[in-house]
Structure formats: C-alpha cells, structure tokens
C-alpha cells in the first residue's frame, strides 16, 4: 500500500498545489486504495495488487486538462526545464559528485596547509632557527606551489562535474521508484552528515579555544601564539574538508530530488550570491596576492580570506531575504 | 483489451448510465465496468476521475461525502436532472451511431 501512496506522491510532485489538484489526488488515492483492498481480498499478494493498481492507473496528461493546469506548465514539465535521468546516470552522477567533493575538500585543505606552513616557517625563522630570507622563500614558495596544486585539483574536479552543472538550474525528473531510493539514501546519510558537520565545528572550536588559551596565558609568547594559529589553520583545513565532502554529497541528493536549496523555484532563479561568487572570489585572491606581494605582508594578509568568507555569507543572507520578498 | 480511443467518446455516457439508479463512488463504478464487461474493458483511474470532474462542472453530476461503516469518508456521485436529460440525448445518439456504423461496414 505504501508503494501506491508514494507512486501517487511522485506523480503529483511537479503539479501546482491548487485545490483542484489536491482534490484529484485525494480521489485517486481513494480509488486506488479501494482497488488494492479488493484485489487483496480476492487473494492477490501485495506485489500483485500493487502492480495491477499502478499499471491500471492511467496517465497525468489526461488529468491535466480537466484540472485546469495551464498549458505552459505542462510544456515546462514535459520539455525544456526537465532532465530525465536513468538509474545508471544517477548512479554515475552520485559517484562523480562524491569524488569531486573529496577533491575540492582536498584542494581547500592544501591551500590552508600552505598558509599554515607559511606562518610556521615565519615563526621558526623569528626564533632564529632559520634565516629570515630562507624562511620567507620556503613559506611563500611553498604556498604558491600548493596553490598551484590546489588550482590544478579544482580544475580537474570542475571538468568532471561540468556536465552535471545543469542539475543546479533544471528540475530533474526520475522514475518514482528511483526517487524513493535516493530519498532513502539521503535519509541514511543524514546521521553521518550531522556527525561530520558537528565534528568540523568541534575541530574549529578546539583550535580557537587553543589559540585563545595560549594568547591569554601567554604560553610561549609570540611563538606560542603563532604555533597555535598554525594548529587552528590545520583544524580549519580538516573541518572545511569535512564540510565540503559531506555537503557535496548531501547537495547531490537534493539536486536529484529537487529538494533543499534545489527546489523547482530555486532552480528556476539563480540567486545573486551564486551569480557573483565566481568574480567575487577571484577579486579576493587578487587582493590577497597584491597586498602580500607589494607590502610583503604574507604573515597577516591571510586575514583577507576569513573576512571575505564572512562578508560573502552576509551577502548571501541579505540577497536571499531580498529575493524572498 | 479494447483500444480505449474508441470508447473514450462514450466515457461520460457509461458513467452517467451506471449512476442512473443510485449514487456511487469511484471504485464502485470502476468495478462495475470491469464486471459487466467481464474484464474486457478496465477504466483507468485517471479517465474515471477526469470524467467525474467534467460531468460535475457541467452540472450533470453532484458530489457529496458519505461515510462508510468503517468510518472512511468517500465522495459519492449522484446524477442530476440535467445529467438525466444529457444521458437520454447521448443514448439516442448512440443508437443512431450504432445504426449508421452497422449500415456502412456490414
């Protein structure tokens, strides 16, 4: 019986929720339930009864005209704004997004590692373990090298996921059974997702607490502070890795199910934040590199990134609340 | 299984004629059609509902809620005087159609 209910749910998923449509759904559900009950009482198995009810259901096109669903909506549903995906395509997409999620997480972690290394080398140079010039060469050189490596990883990941980009702006249409299966996968992943996000947050908090403690108690002076900053950056790198890999996987489910940030409405209109994110981060990197090179301010210029991150969050929130109005 | 295209034009007539004597609900009608035709024609749920909807908005059917003994709420459909008049019209039309087609193809 549940199979019939979810079949009907999925059939009506993309229809506008008008009183007419809801009434039709309720009536159809009643008819299907009656038929199912009748078939069961005649000795049919659950599978047989469900199969027959679904095969004799009919089709939505027939209902569309009587329900007064505008022609445009039907066209939208049937052609341009829909991607139909099969089992194997969905399977492949989930695999690709899992892989690219991990790659992007790795890339971000590598950059943060580079920044951590820069600060660390500066710290030990300050202490006199290393000549200052050598320290700067290792720090800056290492950072640039790691950025190059990360950019390479980003490009590779981007190329792989490029052909799935339209899932972000287009409604996905998949078989009702497949839809159920993905919904189940998403449900199954939810606890692990929550653990990873919580773990990431805990890591960052741990880093911050460590830094504050060291700074307040003045353990090891500047050197101590710098070392804990290094620790904090490593923690952030790990945490961001967790956020990205877990987030990408969750997003992949949402994209396929047209849920969360990827409902029909969201997919139809790209938000301002999405549109500006590319140029925005390019600008941030430019500012970072310019400031660092011209003022030789490598020790402090990384502050651009956290500030830019918070600012971007602010822009997203503000633009989202504007677009809702 | 008969091609539903041929029958489609008479869906409304079939449903009105089954409701001629007493009100009925969705599955009841569908079951009667299957039984009378000895499963040679099974009306799809979407066809049935589309027809109910059309007939009701034309004023040929009236719907009301009835409660079953098990407490379940069901929508019943009842033929209206306008529905009866329309049914008579369609039945006459069917007799004529049958006669014409028979004459031509025999």
């Amino acid at each position: 019986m549940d199979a019939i209910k979810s079949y009907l749910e999925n059939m009506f998923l993309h229809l506008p929720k008008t009183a007419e449509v809801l009434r039709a759904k309720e009536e159809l559900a009643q008819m299907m339930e009656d038929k199912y009950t009748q078939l069961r009482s005649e000795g049919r198995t659950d599978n047989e009864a469900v199969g027959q009810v679904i095969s004799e259901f009919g089709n939505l096109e027939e209902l569309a005209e009587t329900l007064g669903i505008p022609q445009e909506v039907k066209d939208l549903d049937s052609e341009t704004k829909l991607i139909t995906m099969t089992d194997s395509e969905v399977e492949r997409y989930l695999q690709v997004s899992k892989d690219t999620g991990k790659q992007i997480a790795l890339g971000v972690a590598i950059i943060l590692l580079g920044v951590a290394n820069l600060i660390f080398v500066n710290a030990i140079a300050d202490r006199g373990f290393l000549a200052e010039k050598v320290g700067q060469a290792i720090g800056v050189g290492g950072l640039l090298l790691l950025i190059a490596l990360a950019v390479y990883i980003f490009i590779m990941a981007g190329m792989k996921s490029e052909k799935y980009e339209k899932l972000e702006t287009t409604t996905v249409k998949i078989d009702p059974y497949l839809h159920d299966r993905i919904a189940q996968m998403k449900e199954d992943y939810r606890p692990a997702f929550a653990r990873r996000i919580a773990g990431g947050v805990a890591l960052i908090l741990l880093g911050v607490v460590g830094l504050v403690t060291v700074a307040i108690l003045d353990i090891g002076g500047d050197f101590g502070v710098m070392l804990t900053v290094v620790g904090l950056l490593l923690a952030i790198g790990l945490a961001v890795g967790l956020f990205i890999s877990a987030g990408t996987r969750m997003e992949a489910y949402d994209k396929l199910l047209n849920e969360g940030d990827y409902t029909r409405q969201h997919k139809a209109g790209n938000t301002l934040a999405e549109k500006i994110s590319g140029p925005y981060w390019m600008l941030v990197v430019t500012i970072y590199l310019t400031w660092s090179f011209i003022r030789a301010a490598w020790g402090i210029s990384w502050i651009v990134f956290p500030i830019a991150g918070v600012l971007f969050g602010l822009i997203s929130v503000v633009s989202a609340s504007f677009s809702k109005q | 299984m008969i091609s539903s295209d041929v029958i489609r034009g008479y869906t409304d007539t079939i449903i009105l004629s089954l409701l001629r004597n007493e009100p009925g609900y969705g599955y009841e009608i569908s079951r009667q059609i299957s039984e009378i035709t000895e499963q040679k024609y099974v009306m799809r749920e979407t066809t049935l509902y589309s027809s109910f909807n059309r007939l009701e908005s034309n004023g040929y059917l009236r719907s009301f809620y009835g409660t079953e003994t098990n407490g379940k709420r069901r929508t019943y459909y009842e033929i209206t005087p306008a529905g009866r008049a329309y049914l008579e019209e369609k039945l006459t039309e069917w007799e004529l159609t049958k006669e014409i087609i028979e004459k031509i193809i025999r």
Side-chain angles (χ1 to χ4, degrees), chain A residues 226-292:
Chain A
M226 279 174 119
L227 279 188
T228 39
V229 167
V230 170
L232 174 60
L233 281 170
L234 292 177
I236 292 176
L238 225 77
V240 169
L242 284 171
F243 294 153
I244 294 176
S245 61
T248 327
R249 195 155 150 195
M250 211 54 170
E251 272 188 8
Y253 294 139
D254 280 345
K255 282 178 198 170
L256 290 172
L257 299 171
N258 308 311
E259 283 175 358
D261 283 340
Y262 298 97
T263 56
R264 273 175 73 91
Q265 288 80 356
H266 273 103
K267 282 183 172 186
N270 254 341
T271 60
L272 174 70
E274 278 168 39
K275 277 181 203 149
I276 65 163
S277 82
Y280 178 86
W281 288 107
M282 294 270 213
L283 186 71
V284 171
V285 173
T286 313
I287 291 173
Y288 168 71
L289 290 176
T290 317
W291 183 20
S292 307

Side-chain angles (χ1 to χ4, degrees), chain B residues 8-20:
Chain B
R8 185 164 299 148
Y10 274 88
T11 307
D12 292 359
T13 314
I14 291 170
I15 289 168
L16 285 175
S17 72
L18 288 171
L19 290 170
R20 194 160 33 185

Side-chain angles (χ1 to χ4, degrees), chain A residues 27 33-34 38 55 62, chain B residues 27 44 46 72 74-75 77:
Chain A
E27 282 290 287
E33 194 188 322
D34 286 344
Q38 172 73 24
S55 73
E62 189 172 25
Chain B
Y27 176 64
R44 302 196 176 276
T46 52
K72 211 171 259 171
R74 271 215 184 83
T75 309
Y77 295 90

